[in-house]
Amino acid sequence: MSGEGQDTSHWFDDEAGPVVRPYAMTRGRTTSPAQHRLDLIAVVVTEPGAGDAETDTMLAPEHVEIVGLCRAAPQSIAELAAELDLPVGVVRVLIGDLVHAELVHVTRPVPPAELPDESILRDVIDGLRAL
């Protein structure tokens, strides 16, 4: 039993198909220039004037799929990672590529510290009711 004929390094899973390592999708990159802005609740929106991502030969299939998902409806980073079944870090790098290519843009929700104080909102409501 010397193991002849047995391949111990499997690049194919019978149930899942070929296995592609996440770093292969990002070409070994773990960050992108826009990485600091891409938290889990950041929303990715397709640029209105963006061309057809499917015809761009520089984009990977995952890039094209992200553009397609965001064209249908804005998606958060977390939603994209779940839909694509990819690690969040990989999705962040891919989205950074798309931002750089000007195919998508990222919007962030207003941080809680920048929201109006609850007492101000109550005063506005009370003022409206008094009218």
Side-chain angles (χ1 to χ4, degrees):
M1 298 191 121
S2 63
E4 288 182 29
Q6 292 180 340
D7 185 8
T8 58
S9 63
H10 294 273
W11 287 97
F12 190 86
D13 181 341
D14 292 334
E15 293 179 18
V19 176
V20 177
R21 300 288 182 215
Y23 62 80
M25 285 183 245
T26 63
R27 298 182 202 114
R29 297 170 297 138
T30 57
T31 62
S32 69
Q35 187 81 26
H36 65 280
R37 302 178 319 146
L38 302 178
D39 55 8
L40 289 175
I41 58 173
V43 177
V44 182
V45 181
T46 303
E47 289 288 354
D52 187 13
E54 292 178 2
T55 61
D56 190 337
T57 58
M58 298 303 290
L59 297 178
E62 293 80 15
H63 288 114
V64 174
E65 194 168 357
I66 289 170
V67 172
L69 288 168
C70 295
R71 186 165 279 142
Q75 304 278 323
S76 72
I77 304 288
E79 290 171 321
L80 289 168
E83 184 69 29
L84 297 170
D85 196 24
L86 292 174
V88 172
V90 171
V91 172
R92 285 180 174 149
V93 172
L94 296 174
I95 290 170
D97 295 342
L98 294 171
V99 168
H100 182 71
E102 298 180 354
L103 293 170
V104 301
H105 68 273
V106 178
T107 61
R108 298 183 57 195
V110 178
E114 294 178 18
L115 291 173
D117 186 20
E118 185 178 333
S119 64
I120 293 173
L121 294 175
R122 287 182 196 272
D123 291 343
V124 169
I125 290 170
D126 291 342
L128 289 172
R129 286 183 181 152
L131 292 175

